[in-house]
Amino acid sequence: MSNENTTIHEFDFTLICEYFSSIERQGPGSSEVTIKALGFIDNLSKDSRILDIGCGTGAQTMVLAQNTTCNITGLDLFPSFINQFSSNANKLNLQNRVAGVVGSMENLPFENVQFDLIWCEGAIYNIGFERGLQEWKKFLKTGGYIAVTEASWFTEQRPQEINDFWQNAYPEIDTIANKVAQMQKHGYTPIAIFILPENCWLEHFYELQIDAQEKFLMKYKGNKSAEELIAYQRHEYDLYKKYKEYYGYVFYVGKKI
Ligand code: SAH
């Protein structure tokens, strides 16, 4: 990369959308982990409503739908992800209970006190963990749940290279203890906290990208933005392999008091 300070946010969004639409999920995760987190949520019925924020093409949304009887709204900023989301819901015959909406997590187009559960895998960093917890709370019913994954430090100290990478990419990354304290500060009881296993990053995310990267680079041969996007993904993958003892995604499940 020509500029080591470039962040993912600065790449061409159309290219990013096309690249990430070509893989099953747009962030680390797995069906098993979604089901595990869902296991901590009580009292969901066919009348319950779930909001999946930053749903992408909906890998986790479809798992939620297949493991509950609830009505689910997926929301994402990018229309192309929502198109693919809707076609995934149709293919699984879930279109009666699962709807995709284009919108921003910074300005949710819903009435207050609507949802029994707010879900957000690999996306709250776009608004920031604390701001998301604060601003989304009003959309939950009392006793409703929030379940989000968030990049977190596993140790108090870490090597400079990985520390610098995250300070540039997402300075709100913090230790699990500090994230839990933030949940409590914003009026959620911590119900379950667990680290996503490595396969969520390797098998289910970075390794799935290897072929997609080759195809993408062939299609956009000579396109500097496309080449930088792939170089950045590969750099992230290398850093993960090197420093996975120090950071990862953590599922934070909380209950609105
Ligand atoms: N939950 C999916 C996608 C995670 S990637 C998965 O785990 O596979 C992060 C997602 O957040 C992307 O789909 C991106 O389009 C979406 N996003 C980014 N900024 C957003 C915003 N302001 N409002 C809504 N969605 C946003």
Side-chain angles (χ1 to χ4, degrees):
M1 300 239 320
S2 54
N3 172 4
E4 63 182 20
N5 291 323
T6 305
T7 75
I8 189 76
H9 309 288
E10 291 156 353
F11 289 115
D12 178 323
F13 279 124
T14 318
L15 281 179
I16 294 180
C17 284
E18 181 182 333
Y19 173 68
F20 280 104
S21 297
S22 71
I23 50 178
E24 188 194 321
R25 54 177 65 247
Q26 290 76 47
S30 71
S31 304
E32 291 74 19
V33 156
T34 299
I35 291 168
K36 183 171 183 171
L38 187 60
F40 292 103
I41 317 292
D42 285 335
N43 297 332
L44 291 176
S45 72
K46 68 173 181 34
D47 299 321
S48 304
R49 292 191 63 197
I50 302 176
L51 174 61
D52 184 2
I53 300 178
C55 59
T57 59
Q60 73 292 319
T61 328
M62 305 309 148
V63 174
L64 293 175
Q66 288 168 320
N67 289 276
T68 65
T69 52
C70 309
N71 273 291
I72 308 183
T73 305
L75 174 133
D76 203 280
L77 195 57
F78 293 111
S80 63
F81 286 165
I82 291 298
N83 286 341
Q84 206 170 322
F85 175 102
S86 303
S87 101
N88 289 340
N90 282 333
K91 269 184 225 148
L92 296 167
N93 204 22
L94 292 166
Q95 68 279 2
N96 296 335
R97 292 193 289 122
V98 177
V101 173
V102 176
S104 176
M105 62 174 76
E106 298 189 52
N107 185 17
L108 293 173
F110 306 107
E111 306 270 305
N112 290 349
V113 201
Q114 287 287 299
F115 295 100
D116 299 275
L117 170 61
I118 290 180
W119 203 266
C120 182
E121 287 194 41
I124 196 170
Y125 72 89
N126 288 294
I127 189 171
F129 184 76
E130 279 208 87
R131 190 177 153 205
L133 290 182
Q134 251 172 301
E135 292 188 10
W136 299 346
K137 193 176 166 199
K138 63 176 180 288
F139 298 100
L140 278 178
K141 299 174 188 170
T142 301
Y145 289 85
I146 191 157
V148 307
T149 60
E150 165 79 341
S152 309
W153 294 126
F154 298 160
T155 56
E156 290 290 335
Q157 308 288 329
R158 75 257 353 159
Q160 178 104 33
E161 184 184 23
I162 195 61
N163 197 64
D164 290 351
F165 172 82
W166 277 102
Q167 288 315 320
N168 180 47
Y170 182 53
E172 223 185 302
I173 187 171
D174 209 334
T175 58
I176 298 175
N178 287 343
K179 295 277 175 193
V180 172
Q182 289 165 2
M183 287 184 88
Q184 292 190 295
K185 177 172 135 199
H186 295 298
Y188 298 92
T189 307
I191 298 292
I193 316 294
F194 63 92
I195 292 175
L196 273 65
E198 285 172 18
N199 70 8
C200 291
W201 292 78
L202 299 172
E203 279 152 73
H204 296 291
F205 191 53
Y206 290 130
E207 289 168 17
L208 289 184
Q209 295 183 45
I210 294 169
D211 280 353
Q213 287 171 350
E214 291 302 328
K215 284 190 193 131
F216 195 77
L217 286 177
M218 292 240 274
K219 178 169 175 192
Y220 288 105
K221 209 167 182 350
N223 178 321
K224 199 162 172 290
S225 298
E227 285 169 2
E228 286 190 352
L229 170 63
I230 301 307
Y232 188 86
Q233 300 310 313
R234 290 176 172 169
H235 178 54
E236 266 194 23
Y237 181 22
D238 289 341
L239 286 176
Y240 183 72
K241 285 185 287 191
K242 193 165 166 195
Y243 294 116
K244 58 189 161 56
E245 278 84 55
Y246 297 96
Y247 72 98
Y249 267 8
V250 174
F251 236 118
Y252 295 91
V253 180
K255 186 170 187 172
K256 177 176 168 176
I257 297 163

